[in-house]
Amino acid sequence: MSEFETAIFAGGCFWCMVQPFDTQPGIQSVVSGYTGGHTVNPTYAEVASHTTGHTEAIKITFDPKVISYDQLVEIYWHQTDPTDASGQFQDRGDSYRPVIFVNSPEQRRVAEASKAALAASGQFDAPIVTTIEEAQPFYPAEEEHQDFYRKNPFRYQIEEMGGRQDFIKKHWRDKID
């Protein structure tokens, strides 16, 4: 029997963060939700009001024998603009900030090393501002926000036209499978 681990990433709208991870081997689940705030079990409307301190994020349950945390962090970088601390693409504000939430010293080591390597790579002219923070309670979002890209493909496509795909093509062209 395999022992699963979890990873929590924030990179703008959680609707747009699920699919790149959901399609990888070794992923048991990808849940959209909220973390990092001061309200217990917030609603989407509360988080969208920017008064709870939460960030939209995804919680990935994965089999480390099939896909490593290091690989997940690499996929994460390729979905975000790590130079924009004020949100991601068309999504603005603290609830959309880029964060890697770590839940162990090993995850912190991997995330810090990966961030340092990205900064040293020269891939971006601006500083890498994605934060690495301790994991906090994670609250799953309402059902209508789960698997959004599958349930609402047209609306998902509209969200993706907000600049994320163009950014990925420009900055990660050689890294896309």
Side-chain angles (χ1 to χ4, degrees):
M1 185 167 160
S2 181
E3 190 159 322
F4 291 102
E5 294 181 17
T6 60
I8 300 174
F9 300 121
C13 174
F14 50 30
W15 294 343
C16 299
M17 291 293 293
V18 173
Q19 187 273 336
F21 294 97
D22 198 36
T23 57
Q24 299 297 318
I27 303 297
Q28 182 189 34
S29 67
V30 182
V31 176
S32 296
Y34 320 106
T35 191
H38 51 78
T39 303
V40 175
N41 204 25
T43 65
Y44 182 78
E46 289 170 337
V47 173
S49 74
H50 302 282
T51 59
T52 68
H54 287 89
T55 302
E56 286 192 14
I58 55 170
K59 184 176 185 177
I60 303 163
T61 302
F62 67 100
D63 183 344
K65 292 183 180 103
V66 179
I67 189 167
S68 69
Y69 183 74
D70 199 7
Q71 289 171 298
L72 294 177
V73 170
E74 189 70 17
I75 294 167
Y76 170 78
W77 291 127
H78 299 170
Q79 308 313 311
T80 65
D81 177 352
T83 67
D84 185 354
S86 299
Q88 292 288 283
F89 313 105
Q90 79 273 20
D91 302 313
R92 310 313 301 159
D94 282 350
S95 62
Y96 299 116
R97 65 195 181 94
V99 184
I100 298 173
F101 290 97
V102 296
N103 60 36
S104 71
E106 177 61 13
Q107 283 191 358
R108 178 168 291 282
R109 185 196 65 72
V110 168
E112 295 281 2
S114 182
K115 181 178 177 179
L118 180 59
S121 74
Q123 179 84 15
F124 296 95
D125 295 331
I128 305 303
V129 296
T130 299
T131 60
I132 299 170
E133 301 175 15
E134 291 299 318
Q136 297 181 38
F138 181 91
Y139 302 99
E142 298 84 345
E143 183 56 36
E144 65 263 26
H145 300 294
Q146 305 303 329
D147 296 317
F148 192 85
Y149 78 99
R150 288 186 182 146
K151 294 177 185 173
N152 299 285
F154 181 69
R155 176 75 190 277
Y156 173 74
Q157 184 178 14
I158 291 169
E159 290 297 320
E160 284 290 276
M161 291 173 9
R164 187 182 300 265
Q165 287 306 315
D166 290 341
F167 183 88
I168 290 169
K169 286 177 187 168
K170 179 179 177 184
H171 292 280
W172 300 110
R173 179 184 319 269
D174 61 331
K175 307 278 197 256
I176 299 172
D177 295 335

